[in-house]
Amino acid sequence: MAMEHSMAGTTSPETSSTVYRDIGIEVIRLDNPPVNALSSAVKTELNLAFDKAQQDAHITAIVIIGEGQHFCGGADIKEFGQVTRPSLSDLCVRIEQSHKPVVAAINGTCLGGGLELALACHYRVAASTAKLGLPEVGLGLIPGAGGTQRAPRLMGCAAALELILGAKPIAAQAALTNQLVDQLVEPGEVLQAALAVAQRLTEQSGEPRRSCDMPGLADTAQAREALEQARNGLARSNGLFAPQRAVEAVQAAIELTFEQGLAREKSLFEQCRQSPQRAGLIHAFMAERKAAKVPELAQAQALPVTRVGVIGAGTMGTGISLALLDAGYEVILVEREKTPLQRGVERIRDTYDKQVSKGRISEASKHERLARLTDTIEFSDLKPAQLVIEAVFEDLTVKQELFTLLGVICREDTILASNTSYLDVNEIARVVINPQRVIGIHFFSPANIMKLVEIIVAEQTDATTTATAFALATRLRKTPVRAGVCDGFIGNRMLAVYREAADLAVLDGASPYQVDQALRAFGFAMGPYQVMDLAGGDIAWATRQRRAPLRDPRLRQSGVSDALCQQGWFGQKSGRGYYLHEPGSPARPNPQVAAIVEQVRQAAGIKPVAFSDEDIAERYLMAMINEGANLLNDRIALRPSDIDVVLVNGYGFPRHLGGPMYHADQLGLANVLARLERYAERDPLFWRPSSLLVELAGSGRTFEDLNAA
């Protein structure tokens, strides 16, 4: 057994070194909790430790490993957008050119600059549970320390493009299959395996194997085809900057020398760093982390939850159950009748069968998850649950009756959560004896896939309940956002307003199809009428009917969507809505909609005017920003960045623009206010500027100032 000796003078918290003198190997440990991010201090210490090992004649090989559970999570988020020294790219070149073998011992997460560091090493040993990835394009950047040059040399052009453009980590087995790593071992054996490899490499003659010298990367028809396919895929990305630059960098890897490719990567990286899209994507990234910081978490600890009840085996109930099972919870799924319960359980089984067939989970994992599922028609079976989530019909009376029953059946400390999309959680809580345990947990469909969760804190919800709901969402790997109680909370309240702005544009002269086109051009994946057809026009119709008594009768109203619903045209589910939906064919405009629009205009005495696509998108955005300001003024949202998180993650707002409130700051709040005032000249009720927006614009402050506060 080799003996560990701490290196003299290595007291830095950023790195530490251990020398195995009997075998001449030095282990350099990255030490920057929680994920060993590559801060300037870490890179400086790594550089010094590497220099010292190179100069020590007794050292014949070097192993780099991360302290704790991770190898390296990439750049330090506190230094995003900054030019830091030493350069990671230069450090990677120094490591790669070392005449002493350098082995990366990948013990967990290995992302971004961390993977680029590992690729510069001469051999890579990874834990079988490791995750490896280059997520930079998701932050508006490209790998900037040789990742676009080394990955193609190891994996081939097509696999490298998939890794870089996908911006998501891959499993260790996939990394081995694609030759990104050389060996997999059990998690606790990574260091010993790396030491064995390092010792073996020192016994071999010749220079270490370097990624930059790997044979096989050539300007071939196969590589060109991969580049062309990547470009074709990006043609649908609405002009995202970083992915285009990433493809150019990988192209340089097959056309230029390694040194020339590094220079080209550096130039392209700098272009991305200065792009406004990079700033928007960084804002979205940081906003998601800020959203998890709510006052209640400083006041109380989350309760331990291992068993969760779900009421309702429809689409939402089964999606929530899948998310819970995936996260390791025991789930009690309750439905009133056996037939819908069986359908729901079958849907869960089918989902896992498909995941097994695609290699996403193993057969054993499927059985283990299903073993934690209990399905029942007996509500009394919910008694062991520490938290219960209802996903039943969106009707206040139905939910109140259910919560009255739960208040009797469940233990007094069981948290009772409603998955309501719109309804008043205060009214639901009032039927429960101890309403402090009632909260809204609004999942988005499909609940096992969508990341956003609104946590609706009612008047009497206590801090412990809120902390527990946030802990649940975090364990589900969701992005939770705190919201106060109002009709629709953050997302659906805003949706109602900016969708009405689209309806008014149609009423005044635009076509629904021009509106959809204009908003796709702006950056949304789908326009509002495409979304309505997909979700079902009857859902929005029911909401409008419910809200009708509360609506100011002086407000203008389009009525086109109501007229379609009265025809039974609910969109995809009925075969037609704004579009025709025929099996095996792409959706196409419904030719009968134009006549309905014209009838509505004539009934309202409106003479249609022409709209440009830019004007349509601007109105949509101004309505969104104005209602966001109203939400802040009403204290429904804690901060502007929380609204950005909701709209980006739940409603398709272009991520590279950061979110509507961030984008408003970029436009200038005085400019936003001026546009609203111009619209208000014709329609003063709908376009009345938010008092908060007026205040901010008048004082020269921004939404970012509120985020900082």
Side-chain angles (χ1 to χ4, degrees):
M1 176 68 71
M3 297 296 291
E4 290 198 30
H5 302 279
S6 295
M7 254 184 94
T10 56
T11 58
S12 166
E14 284 81 24
T15 66
S16 60
S17 296
T18 303
V19 178
Y20 292 81
R21 293 202 176 277
D22 55 337
I23 55 176
I25 298 173
E26 178 164 342
V27 177
I28 301 175
R29 297 177 183 271
L30 307 177
D31 188 5
N32 184 20
V35 294
N36 301 322
L38 289 168
S39 64
S40 296
V42 168
K43 289 187 291 182
T44 298
E45 292 297 329
L46 175 58
N47 202 28
L48 292 171
F50 183 75
D51 271 347
K52 192 166 187 177
Q54 288 288 87
Q55 295 164 12
D56 189 336
H58 298 289
I59 300 300
T60 58
I62 301 165
V63 170
I64 301 177
I65 191 170
E67 186 67 30
Q69 300 298 311
H70 303 283
F71 178 74
C72 176
D76 192 322
I77 61 173
K78 294 188 288 292
E79 297 178 352
F80 275 0
Q82 301 176 20
V83 177
T84 60
R85 295 285 181 267
S87 159
L88 180 60
S89 182
D90 292 345
L91 180 56
C92 286
V93 169
R94 293 192 61 239
I95 289 172
E96 189 169 52
Q97 293 304 316
S98 168
H99 294 286
K100 297 179 181 181
V102 184
V103 179
I106 302 171
N107 51 323
T109 302
C110 180
L111 301 175
L115 180 54
E116 292 183 285
L117 176 65
L119 297 183
C121 297
H122 305 129
Y123 198 94
R124 286 161 291 282
V125 177
S128 58
T129 54
K131 300 286 186 182
L132 302 91
L134 295 169
E136 286 84 353
V137 297
L139 297 173
L141 297 168
I142 64 170
T148 66
Q149 305 304 298
R150 293 186 180 93
R153 284 171 165 80
L154 291 165
M155 308 173 73
C157 190
L161 283 167
E162 184 177 353
L163 179 72
I164 295 168
L165 297 177
K168 294 180 180 178
I170 60 174
Q173 183 58 55
L176 179 66
T177 301
N178 286 288
Q179 302 180 59
L180 203 60
V181 300
D182 301 288
Q183 182 181 350
L184 297 186
V185 296
E186 291 301 310
E189 301 172 4
V190 176
L191 178 57
Q192 289 303 318
L195 289 170
V197 168
Q199 189 171 14
R200 185 177 77 243
L201 293 176
T202 60
E203 296 168 355
Q204 298 174 355
S205 59
E207 288 288 298
R209 181 199 64 180
R210 299 182 174 92
S211 299
C212 63
D213 298 330
M214 291 295 286
L217 185 71
D219 190 353
T220 63
Q222 188 177 22
R224 288 286 169 184
E225 182 181 357
L227 287 166
E228 187 62 25
Q229 288 179 348
R231 288 195 183 91
N232 290 339
L234 294 180
R236 300 184 294 274
S237 66
N238 288 316
L240 291 179
F241 189 78
Q244 301 281 357
R245 306 293 87 74
V247 173
E248 292 178 35
V250 173
Q251 182 175 346
I254 69 169
E255 293 180 346
L256 306 176
T257 66
F258 182 76
E259 291 73 19
Q260 291 171 332
L262 280 183
R264 179 64 174 148
E265 178 191 78
K266 181 178 180 180
S267 172
L268 293 167
F269 178 88
E270 186 59 25
Q271 291 177 30
C272 292
R273 196 180 69 82
Q274 296 181 16
S275 165
Q277 291 188 7
R278 191 274 310 169
L281 289 163
I282 295 293
H283 170 81
F285 177 84
M286 300 298 287
E288 289 169 357
R289 278 140 190 81
K290 188 180 291 185
K293 299 176 181 178
V294 298
E296 290 86 354
L297 300 189
Q299 302 167 17
Q301 294 289 322
L303 297 174
V305 175
T306 59
R307 191 177 294 111
V308 181
V310 177
I311 303 174
T315 301
M316 285 305 300
T318 54
I320 294 168
S321 296
L322 282 162
L324 292 163
L325 293 168
D326 291 345
Y329 289 101
E330 293 180 43
V331 176
I332 305 166
L333 178 60
V334 181
E335 182 57 86
R336 289 184 182 276
E337 298 177 1
K338 286 186 178 180
T339 299
L341 178 64
Q342 290 169 349
R343 281 199 301 264
V345 172
E346 196 59 37
R347 192 179 295 119
I348 292 171
R349 290 182 184 277
D350 287 346
T351 299
Y352 284 141
D353 285 340
K354 289 175 183 175
Q355 291 182 4
V356 170
S357 68
K358 294 177 181 178
R360 293 177 183 170
I361 63 173
S362 66
E363 187 74 23
S365 179
K366 179 190 82 171
H367 289 300
E368 187 275 331
R369 295 178 196 200
L370 290 173
R372 287 188 272 104
L373 174 65
T374 300
D375 56 280
T376 177
I377 59 171
E378 299 296 335
F379 281 80
S380 58
D381 290 337
L382 288 168
K383 190 164 187 177
Q386 296 129 332
L387 187 149
V388 175
I389 304 170
E390 66 80 12
V392 302
F393 187 67
E394 189 76 345
D395 180 273
L396 182 60
T397 301
V398 171
K399 292 183 186 292
Q400 286 178 324
E401 290 175 353
L402 176 58
F403 271 73
T404 300
L405 177 63
L406 294 176
V408 175
I409 291 173
C410 298
R411 300 184 323 221
E412 290 188 2
D413 60 346
T414 299
I415 291 174
L416 305 178
S418 174
N419 180 53
T420 178
S421 303
Y422 290 94
L423 300 179
D424 190 332
V425 180
N426 289 321
E427 291 299 318
I428 296 172
R430 285 195 179 99
V431 303
V432 179
I433 294 173
N434 41 349
Q436 68 272 11
R437 59 173 169 157
V438 176
I439 196 164
I441 304 181
H442 177 211
F443 291 84
F444 287 72
S445 186
N448 56 314
I449 296 174
M450 292 288 283
K451 293 295 185 183
L452 179 66
V453 174
E454 287 181 310
I455 306 294
I456 299 97
V457 180
E459 291 173 356
Q460 298 189 60
T461 305
D462 66 19
T464 299
T465 298
T466 303
T468 305
F470 268 84
L472 177 90
T474 300
R475 182 168 161 185
L476 294 180
R477 298 184 178 178
K478 303 293 187 185
T479 301
V481 176
R482 187 191 189 281
V485 176
C486 68
D487 198 315
F489 318 122
I490 295 175
N492 282 337
R493 173 168 157 177
M494 290 182 70
L495 172 66
V497 174
Y498 65 76
R499 183 176 282 172
E500 188 166 354
D503 287 343
L504 292 175
V506 170
L507 184 65
D508 288 336
S511 83
Y513 314 108
Q514 184 192 7
V515 171
D516 281 350
Q517 165 57 34
L519 292 165
R520 289 196 302 270
F522 179 78
F524 285 89
M526 301 173 70
Y529 299 106
Q530 290 175 292
V531 172
M532 192 179 298
D533 267 17
L534 183 64
D538 54 326
I539 296 174
W541 189 30
T543 300
R544 289 192 297 274
Q545 290 174 317
R546 179 177 59 80
R547 288 175 164 174
L550 305 175
R551 183 180 175 84
D552 188 332
R554 297 172 298 167
L555 281 166
R556 295 198 304 149
Q557 190 166 1
S558 165
V560 173
S561 294
D562 288 355
L564 266 62
C565 289
Q566 287 162 5
Q567 296 279 348
W569 299 347
F570 301 135
Q572 196 172 70
K573 66 174 67 176
S574 64
R576 69 174 57 205
Y578 281 95
Y579 294 83
L580 297 180
H581 304 274
E582 298 167 346
S585 300
R588 56 190 177 88
N590 181 350
Q592 294 175 278
V593 169
I596 293 175
V597 170
E598 184 57 31
Q599 289 170 6
V600 171
R601 286 175 184 160
Q602 288 180 1
I606 290 174
K607 184 178 179 180
V609 297
F611 284 84
S612 69
D613 287 0
E614 292 73 20
D615 190 37
I616 290 170
E618 180 180 281
R619 286 169 179 263
Y620 200 71
L621 182 61
M622 293 305 109
M624 194 180 293
I625 294 167
N626 197 45
E627 192 60 19
N630 285 330
L631 279 166
L632 291 165
N633 204 43
D634 294 344
R635 301 185 182 276
I636 300 301
L638 278 181
R639 51 182 84 89
S641 60
D642 285 359
I643 295 174
D644 290 334
V645 171
V646 171
L647 270 293
V648 166
N649 288 279
Y651 296 84
F653 191 92
R655 190 177 182 88
H656 66 274
L657 296 179
M661 313 316 282
Y662 173 85
H663 192 56
D665 281 348
Q666 311 316 302
L667 294 173
L669 297 192
N671 292 329
V672 171
L673 179 59
R675 293 174 196 182
L676 287 168
E677 289 173 338
R678 187 174 75 246
Y679 298 149
E681 291 174 3
R682 178 177 179 184
D683 191 346
L685 280 178
F686 182 78
W687 292 107
R688 180 170 52 205
S690 164
S691 60
L692 176 62
L693 186 59
V694 172
E695 177 190 335
L696 291 174
S699 63
R701 291 188 297 153
T702 65
F703 288 122
E704 182 54 36
D705 291 331
L706 300 185
N707 288 328

